[in-house]
Amino acid sequence: MAGLAAAFGSGAMSNSVAEIERTDALFVIGSNTTENHPVFALRMKKAVRNGAKLIVADPRKIPLVKFAHLWLRHKPGTDIALINSIMHVILEEDLEDKDFITERTTDFETFKKNLKSYTPEYGEKITGVPREDIIEAARIYGTAKNAGIYYTMGITQHSMGTNNVFSLANLAMLTGNLGKESAGVNPLRGQNNVQGCCDMGCSPNVFPGYQSVTDPEIRMKFEDVWGKSLPDKIGLTATEMIHSMKDGSLKGMYVMGENPVMSDPNTQHTLEAFQNLDFLVVQDIFLSETAALADVVLPAASFAEKDGTFTNSERRVQLVRKAVSSPGQAKNDLWIINNLMNRMGFNHVFESIRALGFKVPDETRSNNNFITPEQAFMEAGLLWQGIRGMTYQRLKGDGLQWPCPTQNHPGTPYLFKDTFPIGKAAFRSIVPTESNELPDNDYPFILTTGRILFQYHTGTMSRKSKALEAVAPESFVELNEEDAVEMEISDAEKVTVTSRRGSITLKAKVGERVGKGVLFIPFHYTEASANKLTNNALDPISKIAEAKVCAVKLEKVTR
Ligand SMILES: Nc1nc2c(c(=O)[nH]1)N[C@H]1C(S)=C(S)[C@@H](COP(=O)(O)OP(=O)(O)OC[C@H]3O[C@@H](n4cnc5c(=O)[nH]c(N)nc54)[C@H](O)[C@@H]3O)O[C@H]1N2
Ligand SMILES: Nc1nc2c(c(=O)[nH]1)N[C@H]1C(S)=C(S)[C@@H](COP(=O)(O)OP(=O)(O)OC[C@H]3O[C@@H](n4cnc5c(=O)[nH]c(N)nc54)[C@H](O)[C@@H]3O)O[C@H]1N2
Ligand SMILES: [Mo]
C-alpha cells in the first residue's frame, strides 16, 4: 500500500476539531456540515469570523454556503475532475509546496504529467463549475498558510469514492497541508463511536488497531491472547455480504446495531438477500425493519444505559458511564456477547488478561467469567499500542487522542507531523470515471440521497421523538424551480420518483437547493424509503455503495 490515503486506513481525521478555528482556508467538500456535524460547523463559522476563507463544493446549496467565500456547485459524481482541475491551476500558478513535495512525497513527476490535460476549461465542461471559480478555488486554497480539507459522504458514497479521497490527499500533499496544525485531510466521522468500531477491528481486513489479518506475525499475536486459531483471509464487507446472501453462499447472519433493510441501497435486492438466509439474529434497542425479519431478537441497552468508551472523529477516546437503567429485558451489548462466549465455552480471553499481569477484580472471576468494559479496553491496549498508554483513570475528563503508546504519553492531536507511517507518501495519478448509472431519456434526473438535521438514518431512534417528528414528520424530494415550472409541479405537491429498482411517492420541495436535473431525497422515512431507488453498485476498493448518484424519473401523481 503506497499512497497517502492508505495511511488514512483508519479513516480518522488527521487533525483535531479545535484546530479548525485557526485555519486560514477551509475546503468543505461533500459535507453538509451544518446539518450533519453541527459542532464542527460552529468551529468553521468561527474560523470564518476569524478571517478564514471558506470554499464549499457541493451540488446542493447547503446552509454552510451562506458563510462561504466561494461555492462550487458541481454535478454529483464529478469530484475528481473538479479537484484535478484545481490542482492543475495550482501548478500552473506555481502555488505548490516544493519542499514538501521533495522531502515527503514520491511519484510527483508522473502525477504532474497526468494533470496537464485537466485545464479549468475541461473542469467546467465536466463539472458545470465556471472556470473562473475553479481558478479562484485554487488560489484561495493554494495561497493559504494553513488549509484544511473536510469531507464526508458526498465524497465517499460513489463507485469512485476511494479515488475521490485519493484526489483530496493529492491536493493536500501538493500544497504541503499535511502534518501541520490547522490543516490536513479530515473525514468527519458519522455515527458516535463509528471511529471506535473501526479502531476495534470492525472491518473484514484488520484486527483491532488496523493490524492486518493476512500478516502471520500479527495473527499469531492475536491467537496467543485469544486462544483460538484465526482465519488468515480477509472477510466480506457489509455490502458484499448482501450479495453473498443473495447468491446463497452466506447462510447465517448476526446483525448488531444496524438496520440494513432500510439503510442499504436497493431495498428489493436487500430483502431478497435477507429472505435467503437460514438463520438471522438481530441485536438492537428497537424492533427495527431488520429485527422484524429475525429468527431471534436480542434486546440491547442504549448508550445511556451502559459503561464503556466512545471514540470520536478526532481519535479521542472518552468514557461513557451508565446514567439510567435499561427497560424490560434489555441487556448491554457486552453482557450479551459475554453470555454467548460463555455458552460457547470460550473463556480464554479472561484467562489471558489475568495471565498477562492485569489485575482482574475477584468478583468478576466468580461472575461466570464476565469481562468488564474496562478489562476489554485493557486487553485491546495489550494488542494495540495505539491506545496502550490509556487507562480508565487517565481517560477521566477530556479523554485522550490516539496514538498514545505509553502511560506518560500525552496523546496525539494531529497525525503525520514528521513522517507518514508509510515513509514518503506517493502521489496518485487519478483519472475521472463516470458514476455507475447516469441519466438517460427514460430516467432523466440524477438522484442524490442523504440526511436532514432533524432525523437520524433509518429513523428507528429519531422518529420515536415527538419533538423531532413535529418538525420533520415526512419525506420530500428537493427539486429545482426550473424543472418544477417545466413539469408543472408546485411546491408541496405529491410526486412519484421511480428508478430501475423501485418507486416511492412523496412531497415535492421546490426551490434552488438542488440544481437543474438533480433531485435530493433524505433516507430517513420508511414510508417513502429512498433506498428503494438507490443503486447498489460498489466502489471496487472500499466496497461502499453508490448512494449519492443514480438515475430516476419524476412524475406528477395522477388520480
Ligand atoms: N442530523 C443528522 N446528522 C447526522 C446523521 C443523520 O442521519 N442525521 N448521520 C451521521 C452519519 S453516520 C454520517 S456518515 C454523516 C454524513 O454527513 P454528510 O456526508 O454531510 O451527509 P449527507 O447528507 O449524506 O451528504 C453530504 C453532502 O454531500 C452532497 N453531495 C451529494 N453528491 C455529491 C457529490 O457527488 N460530490 C460532492 N462533493 N458532494 C455531494 C450532498 O448535497 C450533501 O450536502 O452525518 C452524521 N450526522
Ligand atoms: N440512500 C442512502 N443510504 C445510506 C446513506 C446515505 O447517505 N444514503 N448513508 C449510509 C451511512 S453513512 C450510514 S452510517 C448508514 C446508517 O445505517 P444504519 O446503521 O443501518 O442506520 P441506523 O438507523 O443508525 O441503525 C442503527 C440501529 O442500531 C440500533 N442501536 C442504537 N444504539 C444501539 C446499541 O447501543 N446497541 C445495539 N445493539 N443497537 C443499537 C438502532 O436502534 C438502529 O436500529 O446508512 C447508510 N445508508
Ligand atoms: Mo455514516
Side-chain angles (χ1 to χ4, degrees), residues 132-284:
E132 305 77 44
D133 289 352
I134 292 173
I135 295 170
E136 175 72 6
R139 286 181 185 156
I140 294 176
Y141 183 86
T143 57
K145 217 168 100 236
N146 300 298
I149 297 170
Y150 309 87
Y151 74 89
T152 44
M153 296 301 120
I155 280 294
T156 52
Q157 287 174 339
H158 292 280
S159 53
M160 73 299 267
T162 307
N163 277 343
N164 284 345
V165 176
F166 282 138
S167 301
L168 290 176
N170 281 337
L171 176 61
M173 283 157 59
L174 182 65
T175 50
N177 273 304
L178 274 170
K180 66 181 186 189
E181 224 185 283
S182 300
V185 182
N186 301 287
L188 313 178
R189 299 308 308 245
Q191 293 140 314
N192 46 354
N193 208 32
V194 63
Q195 183 68 49
C197 285
C198 293
D199 294 353
M200 289 303 109
C202 289
S203 301
N205 58 334
V206 289
F207 294 118
Y210 308 97
Q211 302 177 76
S212 172
V213 298
T214 56
D215 180 327
E217 230 171 87
I218 289 173
R219 203 168 53 247
M220 260 167 54
K221 179 174 81 173
F222 280 88
E223 286 177 342
D224 266 2
V225 174
W226 292 351
K228 286 272 176 227
S229 72
L230 296 167
D232 58 359
K233 287 186 191 62
I234 293 174
L236 299 174
T237 60
T239 46
E240 288 171 309
M241 284 181 203
I242 302 285
H243 290 274
S244 302
M245 286 150 71
K246 183 88 184 282
D247 74 23
S249 54
L250 183 62
K251 289 288 185 196
M253 186 162 228
Y254 184 169
V255 178
M256 196 185 299
E258 234 185 88
N259 186 12
V261 165
M262 250 193 87
S263 59
D264 272 23
N266 191 354
T267 307
Q268 188 52 36
H269 172 84
T270 309
L271 281 172
E272 284 165 20
F274 270 91
Q275 274 146 15
N276 233 1
L277 285 175
D278 288 344
F279 187 59
L280 173 65
V281 184
V282 175
Q283 183 167 321
D284 202 292

Side-chain angles (χ1 to χ4, degrees), residues 342-354:
N342 282 328
R343 285 178 200 211
M344 289 174 176
F346 183 77
N347 47 28
H348 189 94
V349 174
F350 185 78
E351 292 303 319
S352 32
I353 287 177
R354 193 143 18 95

